[in-house]
Amino acid sequence: MTEESTSTYIVAQPILVAVDNVIFGFDTEEEKLKVLLFKRKIEPFSGQWSLVGSFIQPHESAVIAASRILTDFTGLKSVYLEQLHAYSAIDRDPGDRVISIAYYSLIQLHKHRKDLVATHDAGWFEINNIPEVVVDHNHIITDALIKLQENARRKPVGFNLLPSKFTLPQLFKLYQEIYQKEIDDRNFRKKILATGLLEKLATKDKTASKKGAFHYKFNKTKYQELETNGYDILFH
């Protein structure tokens, strides 16, 4: 290392780096796509709704910090986690100069630990009914939803949001929630079944009608193949 580069390190101003997680979950009972928010514990904006986040610790990479936060708030490990974008506007946080590396996660909502959510003074909010959130977190949520919509066209994202067995109406509703618009039911069924991703089961869900709707599950082998190779299906 040269003397010039060493002096550059010395005069450089430190900047804080944080991670913020957009954690998506699909509520199969309410049939709503939701985001996990918590009430901020520190100033500025103490007590206001915020994405789940934290400063990156000296011993952590960004993805390790994001995984830590996810586990701390939901109790879940080894779930879908993807880096979204870095947010570095100079005035984005009035507390200090903070760069945020945002991630988004897809979890099976029924598996998370509700006690951890309560402990952190957190709550699940419908994607189309987000309360006022701090700094640029609304922008981050919007970007994450757009990314989820792009991925839903090319990857079998439902595997990460639905329970092990589900009905086609539930899967259809999930995709309507992801795209936040009406989708043609018959066209959707035709396209999703043509992927070979779903396996029809003998059991039925009869909570909505006497006739009931058959349960399905994801074919894990086909899922892994499509996750690797992808597809391009416009569902809406």
Side-chain angles (χ1 to χ4, degrees):
M1 185 177 292
T2 66
E3 182 178 344
E4 181 181 358
S5 63
T6 303
S7 64
T8 302
Y9 274 98
I10 293 172
V11 300
Q13 296 296 310
I15 297 175
L16 297 173
V17 182
V19 289
D20 285 301
N21 286 20
V22 183
I23 303 174
F24 290 115
F26 182 64
D27 189 324
T28 54
E29 293 183 2
E30 297 181 15
E31 295 187 326
K32 295 292 183 181
L33 183 67
K34 296 185 176 182
V35 174
L36 184 65
L37 302 175
F38 86 114
K39 287 190 175 180
R40 189 172 162 109
K41 300 293 192 296
I42 61 173
E43 294 292 352
F45 309 119
S46 178
Q48 296 186 38
W49 289 110
S50 167
L51 286 173
V52 176
S54 172
F55 290 111
I56 300 173
Q57 300 303 308
H59 64 280
E60 293 179 317
S61 65
V63 69
I64 291 298
S67 297
R68 166 177 58 82
I69 295 162
L70 184 60
T71 301
D72 286 348
F73 276 78
T74 69
L76 299 175
K77 298 180 180 180
S78 302
V79 300
Y80 186 93
L81 180 67
E82 180 178 345
Q83 189 176 120
L84 181 63
H85 188 65
Y87 296 83
S88 60
I90 295 172
D91 59 351
R92 64 175 299 273
D93 191 328
D96 209 328
R97 179 72 200 281
V98 181
I99 293 174
S100 175
I101 302 173
Y103 286 79
Y104 87 94
S105 304
L106 306 176
I107 74 167
Q108 294 180 3
L109 200 55
H110 66 286
K111 289 185 176 180
H112 84 288
R113 285 179 53 186
K114 294 182 180 180
D115 61 316
L116 289 178
V117 171
T119 298
H120 289 287
D121 203 9
W124 289 97
F125 293 87
E126 295 176 16
I127 191 65
N128 60 0
N129 194 26
I130 300 293
E132 184 177 349
V133 289
V134 302
V135 294
D136 55 0
H137 288 188
N138 190 62
H139 181 196
I140 296 175
I141 293 170
T142 299
D143 286 350
L145 180 60
I146 292 171
K147 184 65 175 178
L148 176 57
Q149 290 168 346
E150 292 172 352
N151 281 348
R153 178 174 175 173
R154 296 176 173 84
K155 296 180 180 180
V157 297
F159 183 87
N160 302 288
L161 290 163
L162 290 169
S164 57
K165 65 179 184 178
F166 52 88
T167 66
L168 279 180
Q170 286 176 327
L171 184 62
F172 171 70
K173 186 60 180 178
L174 167 61
Y175 275 75
Q176 283 203 143
E177 282 289 297
I178 289 173
Y179 288 113
Q180 289 291 291
K181 62 174 62 177
E182 293 294 323
I183 300 175
D184 182 77
D185 188 4
R186 186 177 298 180
N187 188 45
F188 172 81
R189 288 170 182 254
K190 179 181 178 181
K191 288 182 177 180
I192 199 70
L193 290 173
T195 64
L197 181 63
L198 305 181
E199 292 183 14
K200 190 175 182 180
L201 303 177
T203 58
K204 283 187 174 183
D205 176 6
K206 295 188 177 182
T207 55
S209 68
K210 290 183 178 180
K211 183 180 179 181
F214 278 104
H215 285 120
Y216 285 78
K217 69 175 183 178
F218 288 105
N219 181 308
K220 290 185 178 180
T221 302
K222 191 66 176 180
Y223 168 80
Q224 291 170 350
E225 175 190 328
L226 292 177
E227 186 181 39
T228 301
N229 301 328
Y231 51 70
D232 190 357
I233 300 177
L234 189 61
F235 290 106
H236 61 90

